[in-house]
Amino acid sequence: MTVRPRKEIHLAAHFPGVNNTTVWADPRAKSQIEFASFEHLARTAERGLFDFFFLAEGLRLREHKGRIHDLDVVGRPESLTVLSALAAVTERLGLAATVNATFNEPYELARRLASLDHLSGGRAAWNVVTSSDAFTGENFRRGGCLDRADLPHSRLRSSGGTPITRAAEFVATARELWDSWTPEGLPRPFAHRGRHFDIAGEFTVPRSPQGHPVVIQAGDSPPGREFAASAADVVFTRHGTLEEGRAFYADVKGRLATYGRAPEDLKIMPGVTFVLGDTVAEAQERAAEIRRRQISPQNAILTLEQIWGVDLSSYDPDGPLPDIDPDPESTMVQGRVRVGDPLAVAEKWRTLSREKGLSIRQTVIEASGRQSFIGTPDTVAAELDEFVRTDAADGFILVPHLTPGGLDEFVDRVVPLLQERGAFRTEYTGTTLRSHLGLAQPVWKG
Amino acid sequence: MTAPHGRALLHLAAALDQQAAYDAASHVELAQLAERGALDFVTLGDSFARPGLDGLGVLSRVAPATGRIGLVPTVTVTHTEPFHVQAAVATLDWVSRGRAGWRIDVSTTEREARLFGRRHASPEPSASLHALWQEAGEVADVAGRLWDSWQDDAEIRDEATGRFIDRDKLHYVDFEGATFSVKGPSIVPRPPQGHPVRVVDATDGPARRIAARYADVALVRVTGPAQARALRDELRHTAAEFGRSPDDLRVLVGLTVDLGDGECAAEPGWRSPLFERSRELGGGGGGSRQSAQGPLYRGGPVDLAELIAAWHGADAADGFHLTPVEPRRDLERLVNGTVALLQHRGLFRTFYPGSTLREHLGLARPANQYAVAGGAS
Ligand SMILES: Cc1cc2nc3c(=O)[nH]c(=O)nc-3n(C[C@H](O)[C@H](O)[C@H](O)COP(=O)(O)O)c2cc1C
């Protein structure tokens, strides 16, 4: 019988985002836009020997009831520019940018990513996302439509395509560009002609230290999973519980063989939250307090409106849930992913409220899910390790609730315990993100 | 602001363009050298056909390694998304704490068009150049609007009402250009300088009106002070026609400098045939454009200081943008020779009194165009 080597955990730091996970109404919460905040979190992650630092992206400010959503953090910098600057103040930490494949073009983005890889000595990663709604499209030349007449040849105009097929061809095209220089440093012309892109010329950047920057994929639909299995190095998922995680893990890893890939060629990293305390009870108390802060009275009504799809501003957050049913066709919420089945969710929440005698706000707090890992540094370290050992994940993208100090405690208290368990590196052994993730250098396809 | 002699302040900038440099270190080193000379800003040319890394990315990498000097990458607007470009420039301003500029340029060649496969270069070059600069003007315009789409005090963090921002202080720009439209607001809060500094090479006709209308710094490549003064007067006049104060525009003479032969080999004084036309490194796209040519100074650093002092004294220019033919060698001589001499004569700053690029240039932080209009979002 062969003994499987101990799986090492991979860790990433997610800069706090623009939803209500991020608690801005805390005296310790600092700027979400000043460079000092990015520098603080990145340096903390590097001190904790993390694999990479991660920035999300949203290309249109969210709206609610036709107006800009004002209850959560709003505003963030452009990812690749911040990461280029962070390359100056970190040495080993991977630097991952979320960049949309619908509202960009392969030549320009491949060039920016290869540039980041050079500027950081091989630490660049690209999280490929595919949001493509017409709402976001209003900020761009391309608009929202993928089958519009902006394709170069009329032959291609009617062929359509989906955000995922465009993203898949986008990534493939980027890889052709990254391969267009020989490893010896000779530029060679490229030509790509496909359904979405018809381009040719010469790439201006030599093959970068990682060969190809690390490709991350965030998405959950079957086509999204297939795309990840065929093309990504890392999957960013929302499946943060043990059962869901295992199912997702088995499903995605099971798709790899079709593409001639081994299970370890693709890392699965759910985005997770954590709360620490000196005792489990204290951690639970802190976790409850954080949830109360995340769900202000205003945010409770808004959360409800996102499900119901109608104006509920006349309801009292400390009163009972609405009797009326949600409008599944509502377009009231723009710029964020809608929940699966509003009618089912509404029914579940009403039941919860009735059974436990909860107000609107209490129901939202109760239903919106606990933080993924709550406990002492010891119990949290043990749980994280269990997730990875039992194939619910290869690692985690940690989403702190405070900017920029939300990772300090984790790095100071949990990382040493993971190291003691032999589940996490005690030093960086390589210089590139690929080496941290244990990924092979991509084979040059001359 | 005036210098001790009652004359307008002298502004100096240098290009960091190197032949095919793909590393961070050489750019950092050059920028630090320029900062030692207290120069207003450094530029980094870029185009999609230029061998080299993304210019804005390189200068973001340089930002934390420098403290005061302005950072001005070229970002082209023909094949890029105006919304992304303004966000990236605003972010450069955030990471550099108010030191960002943006040299606006167009992509003219079919070679560049083929890299994107979305539109063709026009077969008729002069009409095409005109249309491309029209579009560049619209991009400069919408960028200004998007930077203003957040008022400076939009972030309120008001716990009582649970609101992070006052959304009445965020604004849709609803911009409809000839080739693109943008809804807004920006995803990036208003940058530290309000508007990062917009730089346009105003030497060629179609770019000149755009420079007069939108640029904070106009570059002119000319070979004599009379020509420079005429162009500066024209730019200031056109700026006034667009309703701007001419004093909000700095006009810098663009000069390629070769300080390689030292003082003794200098041609006999800058008054004689000292200029020759020569290829400018790193500028423009495709290499075949007339505008990629520039006047060349060849001589010693002391004579260069004389030239700068004389032109500036004759009100021919607000300063100079110098492109060293060999950056490492020439920038060093420029800082230790030319700049030191100008400082010694009290013509150039010896330290940075301000911290933002606008402060170096003596340009006010612009008022927000939406703040005046009131709070209707
Ligand atoms: C964990 C996770 C994180 C995501 N982060 C972003 C993001 O930062 N920006 C964005 O535009 N879309 C983001 N997305 C949206 C995806 O790119 C995609 O549009 C969406 O998941 C729908 O694709 P699917 O049907 O394959 O799930 C994210 C999705 C997931 C699952």
Side-chain angles (χ1 to χ4, degrees), chain A residues 56-57 98 100 127-131 164 218-221 224 236-238:
Chain A
E57 178 192 71
T98 299
N100 192 292
N127 177 33
V128 185
V129 295
T130 52
S131 313
I164 291 278
D220 201 22
S221 60
F236 177 21
T237 146
R238 294 204 174 92

Side-chain angles (χ1 to χ4, degrees), chain A residues 234-426:
Chain A
V234 176
V235 175
F236 177 21
T237 146
R238 294 204 174 92
H239 297 292
T241 66
L242 206 54
E243 295 70 35
E244 276 178 8
R246 280 183 190 144
F248 180 81
Y249 192 98
D251 178 273
V252 174
K253 298 258 179 177
R255 295 171 191 258
L256 287 165
T258 318
Y259 303 98
R261 306 180 70 198
E264 59 273 17
D265 293 344
L266 178 66
K267 307 296 177 197
I268 293 179
M269 300 178 71
V272 299
T273 52
F274 59 90
V275 184
L276 303 173
D278 287 336
T279 63
V280 172
E282 188 194 81
Q284 294 287 5
E285 187 43 49
R286 286 174 77 178
E289 175 56 29
I290 290 165
R291 289 203 299 278
R292 276 193 293 277
R293 281 187 174 265
Q294 287 168 330
I295 298 163
S296 64
Q298 296 87 349
N299 235 319
I301 294 294
L302 178 128
T303 306
L304 222 56
E305 288 179 336
Q306 284 170 354
I307 292 158
W308 262 255
V310 292
D311 184 352
L312 301 173
S313 54
S314 60
Y315 283 79
D316 177 3
D318 296 322
L321 267 70
D323 297 325
I324 52 167
D325 278 334
D327 169 12
E329 305 301 319
S330 171
T331 56
M332 193 177 72
V333 183
Q334 293 275 28
R336 71 167 88 211
V337 184
R338 270 204 94 186
V339 294
D341 175 4
L343 287 163
V345 176
E347 199 36 54
K348 207 170 101 193
W349 286 23
R350 282 203 196 103
T351 310
L352 184 68
S353 160
R354 213 176 316 114
E355 281 173 359
K356 297 199 177 175
L358 304 177
S359 69
I360 287 179
R361 184 172 175 216
Q362 288 166 329
T363 306
V364 176
I365 290 170
E366 185 74 16
S368 330
R370 289 162 201 292
Q371 291 86 347
S372 324
F373 297 92
I374 304 170
T376 65
D378 213 34
T379 64
V380 167
E383 263 191 277
L384 292 171
D385 192 22
E386 187 195 357
F387 265 65
V388 171
R389 275 192 297 102
T390 61
D391 287 348
D394 292 312
F396 306 90
I397 297 183
L398 298 177
V399 188
H401 73 277
L402 279 181
T403 310
L407 207 59
D408 297 355
E409 203 184 0
F410 185 94
V411 165
D412 292 334
R413 303 181 68 187
V414 182
V415 166
L417 298 176
L418 291 173
Q419 290 167 329
E420 263 174 40
R421 293 173 158 268
F424 191 62
R425 67 174 68 84
T426 52

Side-chain angles (χ1 to χ4, degrees), chain B residues 252-289:
Chain B
L252 306 190
V253 170
L255 208 58
T256 302
V257 297
D258 177 354
L259 305 177
D261 297 334
E263 216 63 65
C264 31
E267 296 183 30
W270 55 269
R271 294 158 201 88
S272 59
L274 150 105
F275 293 112
E276 37 186 273
R277 310 288 289 181
S278 149
R279 220 183 112 254
E280 187 186 273
L281 288 167
S288 63
R289 282 165 47 201

